[in-house]
Amino acid sequence: MIRVKLRAWTASFRFPTFQSGYQPTLPVPPPSTIQGILSAAKGEPVYLTQLPYVGYIFKSSGKGVDLEKIYALGKVETDIMKREFHYNAELYLYLPDEWKQYFKRPRYQLLLGRSSDLAIVEEIKENISLDEKEAPLGGTVVPIELGVPGMVHALVVEYDYSTVPRRAKLVKPFVVLPYPKTAAEKRRQTTRGFYDSELGIGVYLHRWSR
């Protein structure tokens, strides 16, 4: 297993229940964003349901609000919209070894959300070994069946890129777990699973190929 560390000045992940007006960001990237990052790195559509496993942890230094000028389609009117974003963002990806070659030389730009959220590959670490123990999860999404309390959202796991426009291929409900910062949050989000002792956080490995 390898662990890829991406870093970006900003990151933003569309909140599925907000279509207009103020645009908050999800606290962590949805699986479809991970699909986009892997596809950009490899240079072709990647489907998470074909991978043996994928895990990720996201954290940032905080959030801010940007003012964005938007143009109405086919009209001359413009408007100003408030858009929330993460700053000083880090994303850790846990992937099979063969993904080292794609992140060593990504084919396209890697984005943590929108086109302005450019990311760089800061580190690729090999021979990652995860312990099994009670550990706090966070900076990720987990299935409801895991029993960890948190905000629940229906999120796209992956899009079908064989059609134009793309269409959602798989949508599932998830518990969205922000990166835990307090002792109470760590206790609430603790469950038995894999643990990255170097980062001090639990890692949930999604296995949608099963």
Side-chain angles (χ1 to χ4, degrees):
M1 179 188 294
I2 64 168
R3 188 184 67 206
V4 180
K5 179 183 180 183
L6 304 181
R7 179 181 290 279
W9 285 349
T10 60
S12 55
F13 312 113
R14 194 175 74 82
F15 221 100
T17 52
F18 284 74
Q19 298 297 328
S20 61
Y22 180 73
Q23 294 291 301
T25 176
L26 279 175
V28 304
S32 58
T33 296
I34 306 302
Q35 181 196 19
I37 292 170
L38 298 187
S39 299
K42 190 173 182 179
E44 61 183 62
V46 171
Y47 295 97
L48 302 183
T49 51
Q50 297 175 1
L51 300 182
Y53 62 85
V54 60
Y56 63 93
I57 296 169
F58 173 83
K59 62 180 180 179
S60 70
S61 297
K63 290 193 288 189
V65 178
D66 194 14
L67 297 178
E68 185 176 82
K69 186 176 184 179
I70 60 172
Y71 294 84
L73 188 64
K75 301 179 180 178
V76 295
E77 295 92 351
T78 62
D79 200 356
I80 300 296
M81 187 170 61
K82 292 182 178 180
R83 183 180 298 281
E84 193 178 49
F85 65 93
H86 298 273
Y87 66 90
N88 193 20
E90 296 178 1
L91 177 66
Y92 296 86
L93 298 170
Y94 297 82
L95 297 162
D97 294 342
E98 58 265 29
W99 280 89
K100 178 185 175 183
Q101 59 182 312
Y102 304 125
F103 281 97
K104 196 171 181 181
R105 298 185 64 180
R107 181 69 176 81
Y108 298 112
Q109 301 94 329
L110 305 178
L111 305 174
L112 294 192
R114 294 160 56 81
S115 58
S116 57
D117 301 321
L118 287 170
I120 61 169
V121 178
E122 190 167 274
E123 180 187 60
I124 301 176
K125 197 155 189 175
E126 299 177 83
N127 302 318
I128 294 296
S129 178
L130 302 176
D131 304 322
E132 280 197 73
K133 59 182 292 186
E134 293 277 329
L137 293 169
T140 190
V141 299
V142 298
I144 293 177
E145 297 77 20
L146 197 62
V148 178
M151 176 173 53
V152 176
H153 273 292
L155 301 173
V156 176
V157 174
E158 62 183 17
Y159 284 99
D160 182 356
Y161 286 99
S162 65
T163 62
V164 179
R166 67 180 186 178
R167 64 178 179 85
K169 187 178 179 183
L170 177 63
V171 180
K172 293 179 73 68
F174 292 98
V175 179
V176 178
L177 297 177
Y179 193 89
K181 295 179 180 177
T182 67
E185 289 172 338
K186 290 178 180 178
R187 282 196 302 272
R188 189 166 56 245
Q189 297 178 191
T190 290
T191 188
R192 186 162 186 82
F194 296 112
Y195 177 71
D196 188 330
S197 58
E198 185 178 346
L199 299 183
I201 187 77
V203 180
Y204 186 84
L205 296 180
H206 295 278
R207 301 178 190 275
W208 288 299
S209 60
R210 290 180 176 174

